[in-house]
């Protein structure tokens, strides 16, 4: 898929140059799926992403760390975290930095549960992140971009517009200007992040928002961001704002 998009891009840019700019087209990638994939996402028994929710639930109940405490011992039911994922990333005033769901989970596990935090993109972290995000399914994304988060938000917005990589393309080139354009039978989506963590058929597995950003950077042969870096989180904040009001769908299905 990366290859086909990249190889066809010059054609695309030349050929569909009349696509209307759609800078405020907040349309979930769900609408670009065919009927079958939409049905797969909607069916909790068939949706492969639900396996990560189940794994997350098992981890939630499992004692770990210095005092042998489970997530449940301190947090009760996972539903107690409903709403959280829809508001991330958010500014941590004490640390003077943004935090996303993966970062929050890792810091709670290391500082409060006092266990070794799972690696970024590991199945263990994806399972907990999907469990927590799933609690907010149906809630509109609503991140706070005012006050101390403002500078990071503006940096994320600039990053989205900045051309990068050997192909010299910005995120906006594909997801704003050519969103909705057809490319070899595929439609380029508006690049909304309301489905994450989500199951991508291309990956044959579930992945995080940051994995998607890395994948798109690779598509234009740009250097990926360092995990959990200020640059990565600023772009994630902007993407969350850009998808504001869209219902969280995790675990969504995408091609
Ligand atoms: C020893 C008690 C303890 C354990 C065990 C624990 N947590 Fe926490 N966790 C806390 C406290 C206290 C906070 C900060 C207060 C709050 O937000 O609830 C927190 C914060 C969080 C947050 C951020 C919540 C927010 O609204 O900002 C998440 C997410 C989280 N924990 C997930 C987990 C998960 C998943 C586990 C199990 C792997 C876990 N925690 C285990 C005590 C614990
Ligand atoms: C060469 C075109 C291209 C560029 C440039 C590009 N992407 Fe993508 N992006 C894609 C394709 C193709 C997909 C997968 C199919 C789809 O959702 O359109 C995708 C998917 C996404 C998704 C997931 C959409 C969903 O519904 O789940 C997000 C989020 C995203 N991109 C963000 C970005 C960001 C951030 C950048 C800039 C770093 C970027 N993209 C740059 C082509 C591109």
């Amino acid at each position: 898929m990366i290859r086909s998009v990249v190889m066809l891009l010059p054609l695309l840019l030349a050929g569909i140059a009349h696509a209307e700019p759609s800078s405020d087209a907040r349309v979930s990638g769900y609408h670009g799926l065919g009927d079958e994939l939409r049905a797969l996402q909607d069916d909790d028994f068939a949706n492969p992403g639900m396996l990560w929710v189940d794994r997350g639930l098992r981890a939630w109940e499992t004692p770990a760390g210095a005092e042998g405490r489970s997530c449940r011992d301190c947090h009760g039911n996972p539903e107690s975290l409903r709403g959280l994922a829809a508001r991330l990333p958010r500014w941590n005033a004490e640390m003077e930095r943004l935090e996303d769901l993966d970062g929050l989970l890792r810091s709670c596990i290391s500082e409060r549960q006092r266990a070794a935090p799972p690696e970024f993109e590991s199945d263990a972290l994806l399972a907990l992140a999907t469990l927590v995000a799933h609690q907010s399914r149906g809630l509109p994304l609503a991140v706070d971009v005012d006050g101390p988060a403002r500078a990071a938000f503006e940096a994320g917005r600039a990053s989205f517009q900045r051309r990068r990589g050997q192909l010299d393309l910005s995120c906006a080139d594909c997801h704003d200007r050519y969103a909705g354009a057809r490319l070899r039978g595929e439609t380029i989506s508006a690049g909304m992040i309301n489905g994450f963590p989500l199951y991508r058929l291309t990956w044959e597995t579930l992945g995080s928002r940051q994995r998607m950003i890395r994948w798109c950077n690779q598509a234009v042969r740009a250097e990926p961001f360092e995990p959990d870096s200020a640059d990565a989180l600023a772009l994630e904040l902007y993407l969350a704002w850009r998808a504001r009001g869209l219902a969280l769908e995790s675990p969504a299905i995408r091609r």
Side-chain angles (χ1 to χ4, degrees), residues 29 170-171 174-175 189 191-193 196 198 212 216-217 220 254:
S170 69
C171 316
C174 281
H175 292 298
S189 76
M192 294 291 151
I193 59 161
F196 289 85
L198 59 73
M212 188 78 238
C216 285
N217 269 325
V220 295
R254 296 290 184 266

Side-chain angles (χ1 to χ4, degrees), residues 10-248:
L11 262 183
L12 171 75
L13 297 180
I16 323 179
H18 302 299
E20 284 295 309
S22 50
S23 54
D24 199 24
R26 278 175 280 151
V27 181
S28 170
Y30 178 82
H31 296 289
L33 301 173
D35 291 346
E36 258 174 57
L37 290 181
R38 276 201 291 266
L40 187 63
Q41 174 171 322
D42 293 341
D43 180 349
D44 283 350
F45 293 97
N47 181 336
M50 290 301 290
L51 290 175
W52 276 262
V53 174
D54 294 343
R55 281 177 204 167
L57 202 51
R58 285 200 296 277
W60 185 267
E61 313 285 348
T62 307
E67 279 113 46
R69 290 211 263 180
S70 69
C71 317
R72 175 178 297 282
D73 290 336
C74 295
H75 289 283
N77 291 327
E79 293 90 70
S80 64
L81 296 177
R82 180 166 168 83
L84 176 67
R87 299 189 305 267
L88 298 175
R90 71 174 182 215
W91 188 255
N92 180 323
E94 224 168 278
M95 294 168 64
E96 296 194 334
R97 56 165 289 171
L98 289 172
E99 282 178 310
D100 65 2
L101 182 53
D102 289 346
L104 269 176
L105 287 168
R106 295 181 81 244
S107 54
C108 183
I109 291 168
S110 71
E111 285 155 33
R112 300 203 165 93
Q113 194 177 35
R114 299 212 276 135
E119 294 297 320
F120 287 105
E121 229 50 47
S122 61
D123 269 337
L125 189 59
L126 286 169
L128 286 171
T130 309
L131 173 69
V132 173
H134 184 60
Q135 305 308 312
S136 296
R137 186 162 71 167
L139 296 180
L141 294 199
V143 283
D144 187 358
V145 298
D146 293 320
R150 195 74 200 178
F153 169 71
E154 294 300 348
R157 192 207 303 262
S159 172
F160 192 81
Q161 303 290 342
R162 189 179 309 123
R163 292 168 159 217
R164 43 164 65 81
Q166 286 175 34
L167 297 185
D168 199 29
L169 287 169
S170 69
C171 316
D173 282 333
C174 281
H175 292 298
D176 272 345
R177 295 184 44 220
Y178 297 108
R182 305 273 297 171
L183 181 58
R184 213 189 237 176
E186 295 280 348
T187 305
I188 296 187
S189 76
M192 294 291 151
I193 59 161
N194 56 308
F196 289 85
L198 59 73
Y199 190 95
R200 279 195 80 206
L201 303 177
T202 314
W203 295 336
E204 298 181 333
T205 189
L206 181 131
S208 69
R209 292 168 161 190
Q210 289 294 336
R211 179 171 178 178
M212 188 78 238
I213 294 173
R214 261 199 312 283
W215 186 91
C216 285
N217 269 325
Q218 277 164 6
V220 295
R221 300 186 203 144
E223 282 295 310
F225 298 118
E226 289 296 319
D228 210 34
S229 62
D231 287 344
L233 291 167
L235 185 51
E236 186 181 334
L237 178 64
Y238 175 69
L239 290 173
W241 175 84
R242 201 172 160 267
R244 67 200 178 283
L246 290 185
L248 203 145

